[in-house]
Amino acid sequence: SEDEPSAIIETKRMIEKQQEQIDLLMNMVKQQNQGQQSPSQGDSSRSRSSIDQSSQSLQPKPSTNVAPLKANLFIDGTWLYYSLNTRNPDRCPIIKKFGKGWQNNYKVDWLALPKLICSQMEKQRYSKTSFTKSERPIEIARIMVFTSAKRETDPNSIRMRMFRDMANANYDVHMMETVGQGEKCVDIQLAVEMLHYATVPNAYDVAILLSGDKDFV
């Protein structure tokens, strides 16, 4: 019929128009994909970063443990002996608690002394009046005791038993011989040893003096 050619032509035009619309739609999709490519890479980077951070969080954290401060304890043994054993009975807390002659019935736990001193040192370091603070704990690596005795001193006396017990607790007991009436050079030897070990590499970080002798101040 005469209308058939015009119908075909109209159909072709509709197909071409649809094709143009399809091409335009495809171009829009391509442009949209190109515009999102960079963000998607960023998202990928953020995703990888998130994964890396997550994996890092799962990894064991570095140990926060630190090496303790190495301390050497220097004890004025003569002062300590008299402080424990020759106090006024009416004012001595040891005698009040354990009675007279307690040395014959009880023994001092010398292994507990370093722990007690470290505990008190930590309290001082973290007190309001402390001038230095450190995360490193204090550990007493060596204990040296300085005293003297007369040659004729009874080995079973309270004095000699005390220093023997300290030696059995791995204290380094420096026992000098007392000549004459008074004990001489004990405090000098202690001070010399303290200064000597201060010059020895890695001997100690902290020196602790246990004494009531004002000569050391």
Side-chain angles (χ1 to χ4, degrees):
S1 66
E2 293 180 357
D3 295 336
E4 187 175 358
S6 61
I8 294 174
I9 294 173
E10 186 63 26
T11 302
K12 289 182 178 179
R13 287 178 181 176
M14 291 179 61
I15 293 174
E16 290 176 358
K17 191 174 181 179
Q18 289 177 354
Q19 186 64 46
E20 289 177 0
Q21 292 176 349
I22 292 174
D23 293 340
L24 180 61
L25 181 60
M26 292 298 296
N27 289 333
M28 291 176 61
V29 172
K30 289 180 180 179
Q31 291 176 2
Q32 187 176 4
N33 288 338
Q34 290 176 355
Q36 290 181 349
Q37 183 174 3
S38 178
S40 64
Q41 291 177 350
D43 292 341
S44 177
S45 298
R46 285 193 294 270
S47 178
R48 288 195 299 270
S49 176
S50 176
I51 293 174
D52 291 342
Q53 292 177 357
S54 177
S55 61
Q56 290 177 0
S57 65
L58 293 176
Q59 293 176 357
K61 295 181 179 180
S63 175
T64 57
N65 293 332
V66 292
L69 290 169
K70 183 188 296 184
N72 277 11
L73 175 60
F74 298 85
I75 299 177
D76 183 348
T78 300
W79 165 84
L80 183 59
Y81 167 75
Y82 285 113
S83 296
L84 290 175
N85 299 285
T86 62
R87 303 180 70 172
N88 187 327
D90 297 330
R91 294 184 296 175
C92 179
I94 301 177
I95 293 177
K96 288 183 178 180
K97 185 172 183 178
F98 300 105
K100 293 183 179 180
W102 62 269
Q103 301 92 334
N104 298 319
N105 301 314
Y106 299 93
K107 282 192 174 184
V108 176
D109 184 4
W110 296 110
L111 294 176
L113 180 61
K115 300 177 183 178
L116 177 63
I117 291 177
C118 287
S119 174
Q120 293 300 316
M121 290 288 293
E122 291 295 336
K123 291 180 181 179
Q124 292 181 23
R125 291 168 67 204
Y126 290 97
S127 66
K128 294 181 180 180
T129 58
S130 177
F131 59 88
T132 179
K133 293 183 178 180
S134 171
E135 294 182 355
R136 300 174 63 185
I138 296 177
E139 181 179 88
I140 295 178
R142 187 175 184 182
I143 306 174
M144 285 172 277
V145 183
F146 299 86
T147 189
S148 65
K150 292 183 179 181
R151 180 176 298 180
E152 61 270 20
T153 301
D154 185 356
N156 293 319
S157 64
I158 295 175
R159 184 190 191 100
M160 300 306 290
R161 292 205 318 263
M162 170 180 158
F163 293 114
R164 190 159 55 245
D165 290 342
M166 297 176 87
N168 292 335
N170 294 323
Y171 289 29
D172 292 338
V173 179
H174 299 258
M175 177 73 71
M176 294 187 294
E177 182 179 338
T178 301
V179 178
Q181 296 300 320
E183 297 185 55
K184 303 294 183 182
C185 300
V186 172
D187 53 351
I188 295 176
Q189 185 188 20
L190 188 156
V192 169
E193 289 296 309
M194 182 182 291
L195 293 175
H196 165 69
Y197 282 103
T199 65
V200 177
N202 301 319
Y204 64 75
D205 301 307
V206 179
I208 302 173
L209 173 63
L210 180 58
S211 176
D213 194 337
K214 295 181 180 180
D215 292 343
F216 292 108
V217 178

